[in-house]
Amino acid sequence: MMADELPTIRAIDTATQQIDARVTAFGGTVQRLLGDGVFATFDSVGDAVRCAVDVQAACGVSEPGAVGIRIGIHFGETFESGQQLLGHAINVAARLEGFAEVGTVCVSEAVRHALVGDRGLIFTELGRPNLKNIGKEMTVFRVALSDDEPAAQVAIARQEDLLERQALPSVAVLPFEIEAPNDEQRTVSAGLDDEIVDYLTRFRSLDVVARESSNAAASAAAPDALLGRRLTARYLARGRVTVSGSRLRLRVRLVDALHDKVIWSEAYDRSFEDIFEVRDDVAECAVAAMAVQIEARERELARAKLPESLGAYALMLRGRQEMDGFNAGSARRALDLAGRATDISPHYARAHSLAARARSLSWKYSWVEDREASLRAAEEAAIAATRMDINDPSGHVELGFLSLYQRQHDRSLNAYERALQLNPSDAVVIAEYGDTLTHSGRHFEGIAHYERALRLNPYGRENRLCDLSCAYFFLEDYDKAVRIGLSMEDPWGVRYILAASYAHLGEIDNARRWATMIRDREPHFDPDAWVTVVPDKNEQARIMYAEGLKMAGL
């Protein structure tokens, strides 16, 4: 220990985390951590034994860097004294642990008798040792699973159930494979997985497995599904870094370990010249994409579950999906889902933030009769979110959104800047901050943020092109606004910008073509009412917008 203290402490911490996860998976309770020991209890002696064998299989000394584990199990009564469990049975289990060899599980006669007839277990008699302070001799057995043990599948099912029931999706970043011609390049490339872990921890919608645990589990070759169970991680990130000449290439893939399925992969190719800047850039891009893919996968899984089985996180995801519908009905449904989530978890910041967005949009687009009440409730929900979790940016994002559409531009900028301090890699937050910059008259800064958001999350391309088209319209670069808008797969999202831009360019036929489509679908559209919603700080810009729409024939 004294020769290599820090690695030993880390190894013990890793083993303790793995034991804790397995005890929970097998239905037990960790009562106390005792330095380098764990005291756990089970309602079922069979579950206790199978958990112990599984712990030895997962944390065995054959894995490099692992600590040796001895386990003792006894079956008997305990009683509570204050905050502790006491009893002779606990003392017996402790003595059996001391007698066991490293990597084995020793049990008492009582355990053996309780499991007579269990063909899935093999008991080997070790004799009748004199166990200190126990008072009488007892036969001790070493226990292992038989090769055809069906209960091993039960253990796997329990671990998978634990993964399914996690409050938040968990992700483990496994050590990346490195191919580089020299030690210096290998050393600096090896930091990429650490950078990715650091960026991932900024996303409050994810639980990130500690690096020490990921390293220890990955040191033994195992299928992704098994590694996921060992680490209690729903998702695994794997990568390979290749340095060739002046180029660094990262290939990273994201695996749904619970269903043993690759859900995303991407390659990043950069110059190796400024490796530390490159490392940050690649890590941030990879993490932003992973966060998007995990949420998309979680939404897919949540849709497959019965409504009554959904937890707070899944309800919040369904609510966010409802908001994509962008109408009064979807806002009402999202608000209901947010309410159900906060009933389950009253301090869940993201559920309060969802409620704030649903109420904000209802106020903005007049989807409710009492708009002012909706506005007040939205602000209350956003402020509540900032107080529920000081490290979650979502409440600050909602305050920024609300403030922008009240034309409180400085307050909006401050709120988004606070959100970005908490998570500088969230592409949606970056884009919304860009929106506030654009409407505050800082157009080129806003455009830079849209482009960065697009680089971090290429899957949000349509939304970012919409943002860019609007930004160039307010810069009075109508030709570029049109070109960007028409590059969208569905330009309907910038229909008003296209109609007004064509009109200001003097292309009246094109302007009227878009105006006709708008009038066909939205017969009650009113340009003057619409521009009151546009939060631009420059009143003249809003007037020009309305004039363009009217020149188009609206």
Side-chain angles (χ1 to χ4, degrees), residues 82-155:
Q83 300 296 316
Q84 296 188 47
L85 278 183
L86 301 174
H88 181 66
I90 298 169
N91 296 331
V92 173
R95 296 292 177 256
L96 290 168
E97 178 267 322
F99 175 76
E101 293 181 0
V102 170
T104 68
V105 179
C106 281
V107 304
S108 65
E109 257 180 297
V111 171
R112 175 69 184 94
H113 288 157
L115 297 174
V116 167
D118 191 329
R119 296 181 180 179
L121 299 171
I122 299 173
F123 292 90
T124 303
E125 186 174 328
L126 301 178
R128 298 172 66 83
N130 182 19
L131 300 177
K132 185 178 178 183
N133 296 330
I134 295 306
K136 66 174 183 177
E137 288 186 351
M138 64 173 65
T139 306
V140 176
F141 299 83
R142 184 172 61 241
V143 65
L145 294 182
S146 67
D147 292 339
D148 59 350
E149 156 64 336
Q153 297 304 315
V154 174

Side-chain angles (χ1 to χ4, degrees), residues 323 326 331 356-368 370-376 378 401-407 416 432 435 439 467 496 529-536:
M323 289 309 307
F326 216 76
R357 182 60 61 110
R359 293 188 185 279
S360 293
L361 292 177
S362 297
W363 160 75
K364 176 182 172 182
Y365 292 107
S366 300
W367 290 338
V368 290
D370 192 343
R371 292 180 66 237
E372 292 307 309
S374 187
L375 176 62
R376 287 193 301 273
F401 182 82
L402 267 174
S403 301
L404 173 61
Y405 282 91
Q406 294 177 82
R407 298 206 180 98
Y416 279 117
E432 288 199 14
D435 211 30
H439 288 299
D467 294 333
Y496 307 141
W530 172 247
V531 296
T532 63
V533 174
V534 176
D536 210 79

Side-chain angles (χ1 to χ4, degrees), residues 8 10-23 35-40 48-49 51-63 65-73 93-94 96-106 142-143 216 230:
T8 303
R10 286 177 174 169
I12 290 171
D13 182 58
T14 297
T16 301
Q17 290 181 44
Q18 294 192 4
I19 292 168
D20 193 349
R22 278 158 180 76
V23 168
D36 61 352
V38 177
F39 166 41
V49 170
C51 176
V53 175
D54 185 67
V55 165
Q56 292 291 20
C59 309
V61 292
S62 61
E63 296 186 6
V67 294
I69 295 174
R70 298 188 301 265
I71 301 176
I73 304 174
L96 290 168
E97 178 267 322
F99 175 76
E101 293 181 0
V102 170
T104 68
V105 179
C106 281
R142 184 172 61 241
V143 65
R230 285 184 177 179

Side-chain angles (χ1 to χ4, degrees), residues 247-279:
R247 306 299 297 177
L248 177 144
R249 181 181 177 84
L250 168 66
R251 165 70 71 177
V252 62
R253 71 179 188 272
L254 187 66
V255 179
D256 175 351
L258 190 58
H259 301 92
D260 202 14
K261 178 181 180 182
V262 176
I263 60 171
W264 170 81
S265 66
E266 189 62 80
Y268 302 91
D269 196 328
R270 300 285 192 277
S271 169
F272 194 82
E273 291 175 4
D274 191 349
I275 178 58
F276 295 106
E277 183 177 331
V278 167
R279 203 167 69 177

Side-chain angles (χ1 to χ4, degrees), residues 164-185:
E164 287 273 17
R165 290 186 288 106
Q166 285 177 331
L168 293 176
S170 51
V171 57
V173 180
L174 303 178
F176 287 178
E177 299 173 40
I178 309 293
E179 291 182 7
N182 60 60
D183 288 342
E184 181 183 1
Q185 289 176 330

Side-chain angles (χ1 to χ4, degrees), residues 11 37 58 137 149 159 161 205-206 222 228 331 341 351 381 430 438 464 483 510 521 527 544:
E137 288 186 351
E149 156 64 336
Q159 289 171 315
D161 182 59
S205 56
L206 298 173
I430 292 167
T438 297
R464 299 299 77 82
R483 280 190 284 111
N510 283 327
R521 293 202 203 178
M544 288 186 65

Side-chain angles (χ1 to χ4, degrees), residues 465-532:
L465 291 177
C466 178
D467 294 333
L468 284 165
S469 180
C470 294
Y472 281 106
F473 175 86
F474 286 105
L475 270 172
E476 299 181 32
D477 188 342
Y478 304 122
D479 184 64
K480 197 161 189 177
V482 167
R483 280 190 284 111
I484 292 172
L486 293 180
S487 72
M488 294 171 63
E489 291 180 11
D490 182 6
W492 184 251
V494 286
R495 57 197 178 277
Y496 307 141
I497 291 292
L498 288 172
S501 295
Y502 275 128
H504 282 299
L505 287 168
E507 298 184 29
I508 300 302
D509 287 345
N510 283 327
R512 287 180 176 164
R513 181 168 56 85
W514 276 96
T516 299
M517 287 190 287
I518 292 167
R519 185 65 70 204
D520 287 345
R521 293 202 203 178
E522 303 170 53
H524 303 295
F525 176 75
D526 179 351
D528 290 319
W530 172 247
V531 296
T532 63

